[in-house]
């Protein structure tokens, strides 16, 4: 477990270094959304159950299964956000919703994949929202001192989304998730 944690930290640092150096490449190729979501859901379900949390998934069935994008980076973004939701939730639930934003639903028409993660976690103070996407920044340390992390996950997530033409938005109520 300690070795896995150390490897994750090293990989995060390497990813952020690549991003800062302008060397992070987005590799676009076809991938199966169902396979990505199945793998991700199984991993998060295991972590959620270990904490006694419910994990719910809702996927718009009209989303094409074969998408074109960087599967590795899409997976990394979703994993970072979902891991944070589980990490900062002690009771209740974590929900993953996958839908389509702008764009068409017919073959060959670009779409925006919309990923929404909700939790019943500790929430974030409004004053701390602006700090979330800065490297090595961790918020509310008095309540989060026992939570492992480097403060790189959301910074990497934001940068990856920028590279892929996406964005991230956070809405939170402190104490509610």
């Amino acid at each position: 477990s300690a070795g896995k944690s150390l490897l994750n930290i090293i990989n995060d640092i390497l990813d952020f270094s690549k991003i800062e150096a302008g060397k992070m490449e987005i590799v676009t190729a076809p991938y199966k959304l169902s396979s990505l979501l199945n793998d991700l859901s199984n991993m998060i379900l295991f972590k959620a159950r270990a904490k006694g949390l419910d994990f719910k998934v809702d996927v718009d069935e009209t989303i094409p299964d074969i998408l074109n994008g960087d599967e590795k980076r899409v997976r990394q973004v979703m994993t970072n956000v979902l891991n944070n939701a589980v990490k900062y939730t002690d009771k209740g639930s974590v929900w993953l919703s996958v839908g389509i934003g702008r764009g068409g639903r017919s073959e060959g028409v670009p779409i925006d994949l919309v990923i929404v993660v909700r939790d019943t976690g500790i929430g974030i103070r409004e004053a701390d929202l602006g700090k979330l996407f800065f490297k090595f920044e961790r918020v509310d340390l008095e309540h989060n001192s026992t939570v492992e992390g480097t403060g790189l996950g959301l910074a990497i997530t934001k940068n990856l989304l920028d590279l892929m033409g996406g964005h991230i938005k956070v809405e939170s109520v402190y104490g509610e998730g």
Side-chain angles (χ1 to χ4, degrees):
S1 177
K4 240 182 181 176
S5 292
L6 183 57
L7 183 59
N8 286 337
I9 291 169
I10 290 169
N11 284 333
D12 281 351
I13 292 169
L14 290 173
D15 281 347
F16 205 85
S17 296
K18 284 182 193 175
I19 290 168
E20 284 190 329
K23 300 292 184 185
M24 177 64 72
E25 293 183 23
I26 300 300
V27 179
T28 301
Y31 68 93
K32 287 186 80 167
L33 180 63
S34 59
S35 179
L36 183 151
L37 291 174
N38 184 60
D39 294 348
L40 192 61
S41 295
N42 287 332
M43 178 185 69
I44 297 301
L45 179 63
F46 178 76
K47 291 179 179 187
R49 282 192 177 156
K51 290 185 73 175
L53 303 173
D54 289 329
F55 179 59
K56 302 170 187 173
V57 179
D58 179 39
V59 180
D60 180 342
E61 293 179 9
T62 66
I63 300 173
D65 191 34
I66 304 296
L67 297 178
N68 208 31
D70 190 329
E71 178 183 8
K72 180 179 179 182
R73 300 306 170 192
V74 170
R75 181 184 302 266
Q76 187 174 4
V77 163
M78 292 175 70
T79 300
N80 282 348
V81 175
L82 284 165
N83 276 338
N84 273 8
V86 171
K87 191 183 329 184
Y88 293 102
T89 302
D90 290 327
K91 60 183 177 185
S93 304
V94 172
W95 297 273
L96 168 64
S97 174
V98 183
I100 296 177
R102 71 171 176 82
R105 294 180 188 267
S106 56
E107 194 172 325
V109 177
I111 63 170
D112 283 341
L113 194 59
V114 178
I115 310 299
V116 178
V117 175
R118 291 184 182 92
D119 62 60
T120 57
I122 61 172
I124 303 161
R125 291 183 178 116
E126 192 170 331
D128 289 334
L129 287 173
K131 301 176 188 176
L132 284 180
F133 303 108
F134 290 103
K135 62 184 175 185
F136 302 114
E137 191 72 49
R138 298 196 59 212
V139 298
D140 201 6
L141 289 178
E142 69 185 61
H143 290 106
N144 300 323
S145 61
T146 60
V147 178
E148 287 184 22
T150 59
L152 283 174
L154 289 179
I156 291 170
T157 295
K158 182 178 183 334
N159 280 283
L160 289 174
L161 286 168
D162 289 345
L163 288 170
M164 292 187 289
H167 67 277
I168 187 167
K169 179 175 89 170
V170 177
E171 296 174 8
S172 183
V173 176
Y174 189 66
E176 294 181 23

